[in-house]
Amino acid sequence: MSLQGKTAVITGSNSGIGLGVARELARAGADVVINSFTDRDEDHQLAADIAKEFGVTARYIKADLSKGAEARALIEQAGKCDILVNNAGIQHVSPIEDFPVEKWDAIIAIMLTSAFHTTAVALPMMRKAGWGRVVNIASAHGLTASPYKSAYVSAKHGVVGLTKVTALETAKEDITVNAICPGYVKTPLVEAQIPDTAKEYDMTEEEVIEKVILARQPSKEFATVEQIGGTAVFLCSDAAAQITGTTISVDGGWTAL
Ligand code: NAD
């Protein structure tokens, strides 16, 4: 599978799943744009390391995706976007009545509204190129719910809805639009939840992983960022050209329960 000559923009890709997806797309030959809101030396270094390791062009572009104008500018600055991976995300856990409004707004903006903005700018580029792939990183929480994650679950269900609409609007073109729904993947986003949960349940961190986090994942294993990246590469392949408007779960059986 070669993605040589294709440019992939991966939002929120200086860490975790986004970085894993960027690396697998680069391994398959795609030029990549790495993004985050941080603009640190190490973010630029990550892009340089990917370019060196896989022999592709890799650039870092800063954009704070909580702001619609910056989400649009990210794709405009990339100049070309054959593969768009909407991945950036944050989490906040709280009962609805105490859920801070600014956290609700940030989660919806970064995970759902930014995908609308990037897609709106990327689709004309894909149409011009005559080929395109949109891969939205949703979640098992795009298909099912958990208490105290109102904003996250709402945003991810929204991403699945946006995926279906975008697929219908592009169905007659060589453009596919799908969502990957990971179960738990051990990344900084998940690791950050472990200490608080341990305190809340009076458990060790190992017990939290086994009895709380992986309780809903029948395989009892975390998915890996390489597996999510490999799924994205598959969705960009010719074998997946008729797969559009759907979700692929990488969740160790979670949504089969
Ligand atoms: P992570 O914390 O490692 O990465 C999040 C990324 O989003 C980072 O690159 C960060 O810089 C970026 N980001 C956050 N706010 C941003 C902003 N305002 N502007 C630009 N970039 C921003 O987390 P992760 O686990 O790799 O999560 C990546 C995606 O995968 C998220 O959408 C998350 O919901 C989804 N997901 C994760 C899991 C999991 O178990 N880790 C499971 C299902 C879905």
Side-chain angles (χ1 to χ4, degrees):
M1 167 77 224
S2 175
L3 294 176
Q4 225 170 353
K6 308 293 189 200
T7 297
V9 181
I10 305 98
T11 71
S13 45
N14 67 343
S15 165
I17 291 174
L19 180 57
V21 170
R23 287 179 52 80
E24 293 312 309
L25 290 171
R27 193 190 304 281
D31 296 325
V32 294
V33 172
I34 303 296
N35 153 259
S36 69
F37 61 96
T38 42
D39 205 12
R40 300 164 305 185
D41 287 347
E42 53 260 48
D43 297 322
H44 293 266
Q45 191 56 49
L46 269 179
D49 291 346
I50 289 176
K52 194 168 169 212
E53 184 173 350
F54 300 110
V56 298
T57 300
R59 280 185 293 156
Y60 173 84
I61 300 179
K62 178 202 175 231
D64 178 350
L65 299 177
S66 65
K67 302 185 174 100
E70 292 198 26
R72 285 177 182 257
L74 166 65
I75 307 301
E76 280 155 11
Q77 275 181 49
K80 188 169 178 271
C81 182
D82 306 297
I83 300 166
L84 170 63
V85 183
N86 287 305
N87 165 80
I90 57 170
Q91 176 62 289
H92 186 80
V93 179
S94 166
I96 289 175
E97 61 272 30
D98 303 327
F99 210 97
V101 174
E102 62 278 10
K103 289 282 181 199
W104 170 278
D105 288 344
I107 288 175
I108 301 292
I110 293 167
M111 302 206 302
L112 176 57
T113 311
S114 81
F116 157 73
H117 287 298
T118 55
T119 303
V121 181
L123 283 184
M125 293 180 178
M126 293 177 182
R127 289 196 169 111
K128 200 168 155 207
W131 187 95
R133 297 287 181 264
V134 180
V135 179
N136 292 323
I137 305 299
S139 167
H141 280 121
L143 305 169
T144 175
S146 294
Y148 313 126
K149 295 186 175 176
S150 54
Y152 188 90
V153 170
S154 301
K156 293 301 190 183
H157 275 69
V159 166
V160 171
L162 177 65
T163 301
K164 292 178 185 177
V165 173
T166 316
L168 292 179
E169 292 187 15
T170 54
K172 291 216 168 90
E173 300 159 89
D174 195 355
I175 296 173
T176 69
V177 188
N178 294 289
I180 298 177
C181 293
Y184 279 109
V185 186
K186 207 167 179 201
T187 65
L189 184 141
V190 166
E191 280 167 347
Q193 298 174 51
I194 297 174
D196 284 352
T197 315
K199 253 190 245 155
E200 190 186 334
Y201 289 92
D202 195 21
M203 286 179 175
T204 65
E205 296 197 0
E206 292 69 33
E207 284 172 324
V208 167
I209 290 173
E210 192 193 321
K211 295 184 180 150
V212 182
I213 296 185
L214 294 180
R216 296 179 73 179
Q217 201 141 306
S219 65
K220 299 294 171 207
E221 280 182 36
F222 285 102
T224 66
V225 299
E226 290 78 12
Q227 289 162 350
I228 308 300
T231 306
V233 171
F234 166 68
L235 285 172
C236 294
S237 73
D238 292 342
Q242 280 299 312
I243 300 177
T244 196
T246 194
T247 58
I248 297 193
S249 291
V250 186
D251 67 1
W254 176 340
T255 44
L257 280 174

